[in-house]
Amino acid sequence: MEIKVTLTTAPKAKPQDETQLGFGRLFTDHMFLMDYYAGQGWVDPRIVPYGAFQMDPAAMVLHYGQAIFEGMKCYRRADGGLQLFRPTANFARMSNSAERMCMPRLDEEAAFEGLKKLLEVEQEWVPHNVGTSLYIRPTMIAMDAQLGVHAAKHYLFYIILSPVGSYYKDGLKPVNIYVEDKYVRAVRGGTGFTKCAGNYAASILAGDIAEKKGYSQVLWLDGVEQKYVEEVGAMNMMFAYGNKIVTPMLNGSILPGITRDSILTIARQMGYEVVEDRLAIADIFADAKSGKLTEAFGTGTAAVISPVGKLAMNDEVLTVGDGNIGTISQKLYDTLTGIQWGTIEDKNGWIVKLS
Ligand SMILES: *Cc1c(COP(=O)(O)O)cnc(C)c1O
């Protein structure tokens, strides 16, 4: 597939102070687009200046929410070269999300070619400071202007890019987590395993309430019995008992995180015992109280690892371990970020070098 490139005539100034980047506020000069029409497949891959879409107010995505996305990063190595971490896993997951939402599977090869070309055009936008990266947001939405609940026939796939700051400017920092026992994120047979927009819309209220109580994330329990640990915010959840790491097994309502899979792989390679199981929140609380639970942390692309300092449910507030960063959390964080930024050898074939 030939990718048509139209360059902007009005490039924006690149950010001068990379310590002020934050997350997802600034976008680069160009974006990649590709359309899907039923009967035709994916057509017209193109790179165009970043800008607003023309969209009909009846566009189906605005009414019935056929919208899915992905999140990954482009990293700048110390030698100035650029690299991606497991990008094809993100596109494969997007196809799985699409299938559940009755959207077309992605042309994963065309999407990857589009991403590589877009990054070639935007290479100067990948920030240089330690811990910074260029966040990549592939998205797919239903475009038909038609009311009536059924699958659309025209979809738009696009990729936008946003330079983001270092998640941890002063080293890993533990967060306090609120166990949500009223609202649920996903249910059996639902869309929990997909990155569909509706999952996030449904999560905002609980997140907002937790924040007002002074907690930075919500720990989600299962949507059937509200007894078992699912995820924390938009991260997968892991617990350490000495040299054993346990995490909820993938059950259809949990998002299969690429960071989750990578951390479990690295942990096994480092000699830790790894167990995927159904984890009752009551057991986690009892183990935190008795001191058997030594560490707890979330995993995801944005933070890589987010250690948990305090866990709260109703009026009970528990400190995990000594409330500081655990040694396993720190080791796994150092190793995975080392691989991603190219300071540690990648033995698993995860890195795609672009330059
Ligand atoms: C994206 C996401 C994750 C983490 O996935 P990664 O591939 O590791 O970034 C976990 N849970 C939810 C709900 C997510 O949306």
Side-chain angles (χ1 to χ4, degrees):
M1 260 204 248
E2 183 84 20
I3 300 169
K4 195 172 162 229
V5 180
T6 311
L7 297 178
T8 180
T9 52
K12 287 178 269 198
K14 311 258 179 333
Q16 290 299 304
D17 183 358
E18 292 184 356
T19 64
Q20 299 302 310
L21 282 173
F23 182 83
R25 292 185 304 224
L26 178 68
F27 299 94
T28 68
D29 286 321
H30 300 87
M31 58 187 176
F32 173 78
L33 308 178
M34 173 163 80
D35 288 281
Y36 176 94
Y37 296 97
Q40 251 183 292
W42 289 103
V43 294
D44 197 14
R46 58 207 187 270
I47 288 168
V48 297
Y50 185 95
F53 296 138
Q54 278 280 358
M55 206 181 214
D56 197 287
M60 288 173 81
V61 63
L62 302 176
H63 301 268
Y64 310 123
Q66 275 181 303
I68 55 175
F69 63 92
E70 273 300 326
M72 56 176 139
K73 287 173 171 175
C74 179
Y75 306 87
R76 191 182 288 284
R77 296 188 305 274
D79 68 4
L82 302 181
Q83 59 188 33
L84 298 167
F85 181 73
R86 306 187 73 178
T88 52
N90 287 91
F91 290 128
R93 184 169 68 188
M94 192 165 204
S95 279
N96 290 339
S97 294
E99 225 160 54
R100 175 63 182 84
M101 304 299 287
C102 206
M103 300 167 84
R105 287 184 74 86
L106 201 56
D107 179 339
E108 291 163 38
E109 209 170 303
F112 190 28
E113 288 309 309
L115 173 61
K116 283 191 281 194
K117 188 83 193 160
L118 181 63
L119 288 169
E120 197 184 306
V121 172
E122 302 291 58
Q123 52 186 290
E124 296 304 321
W125 279 98
V126 184
H128 295 74
N129 276 11
V130 171
T132 61
S133 58
L134 187 66
Y135 185 78
I136 300 164
R137 172 55 60 90
T139 309
M140 195 197 297
I141 53 176
M143 295 295 277
D144 305 58
Q146 201 176 309
L147 302 181
V149 183
H150 51 72
K153 293 190 170 72
H154 172 203
Y155 295 89
L156 179 68
F157 170 77
Y158 60 92
I159 304 175
I160 52 174
L161 306 173
S162 172
V164 297
S166 175
Y167 199 90
Y168 297 111
K169 287 201 189 86
D170 318 302
L172 279 182
K173 227 179 102 193
V175 294
N176 299 333
I177 300 290
Y178 187 78
V179 180
E180 177 58 56
D181 61 358
K182 180 176 173 196
Y183 301 107
V184 298
R185 191 190 84 89
V187 293
R188 191 190 295 155
T191 57
F193 68 95
T194 75
K195 268 180 130 66
C196 73
N199 285 349
Y200 304 85
S203 78
I204 290 171
L205 178 60
D208 211 57
I209 294 169
E211 213 169 285
K212 285 188 181 119
K213 288 181 180 158
Y215 295 90
S216 56
Q217 301 271 1
V218 167
L219 188 148
W220 299 105
L221 299 177
D222 72 278
V224 179
E225 297 177 75
Q226 294 185 258
K227 271 189 190 165
Y228 301 99
V229 176
E230 296 249 303
E231 306 196 49
V232 55
M235 288 187 285
N236 295 109
M237 191 66 212
M238 301 197 183
F239 302 92
Y241 292 81
N243 284 329
K244 183 163 94 178
I245 297 168
V246 300
T247 192
M249 61 205 262
L250 300 178
N251 60 358
S253 56
I254 292 174
L255 196 289
I258 293 159
T259 317
R260 173 188 184 277
D261 182 72
S262 308
I263 287 288
L264 295 183
T265 302
I266 288 173
R268 283 193 194 98
Q269 288 167 348
M270 286 173 144
Y272 294 112
E273 185 191 347
V274 170
V275 178
E276 298 175 62
D277 203 353
R278 202 160 76 150
L279 308 176
I281 189 67
D283 293 343
I284 298 290
F285 266 66
D287 294 340
K289 248 185 263 181
S290 73
K292 269 200 335 207
L293 176 72
T294 42
E295 298 180 37
F297 54 93
T299 69
T301 296
V304 183
I305 284 201
S306 186
V308 174
K310 289 196 171 78
L311 262 180
M313 187 163 59
N314 299 320
D315 298 328
E316 198 172 6
V317 183
L318 288 174
T319 301
V320 179
D322 59 5
N324 292 314
I325 314 301
T327 49
I328 294 178
S329 310
Q330 186 72 53
K331 247 196 240 178
L332 291 171
Y333 176 81
D334 291 344
T335 306
L336 189 54
T337 54
I339 294 169
Q340 290 170 331
W341 271 278
T343 59
I344 292 177
E345 191 199 344
D346 162 33
K347 294 185 186 122
N348 296 296
W350 288 338
I351 294 296
V352 176
K353 284 193 182 183
L354 300 175
S355 55

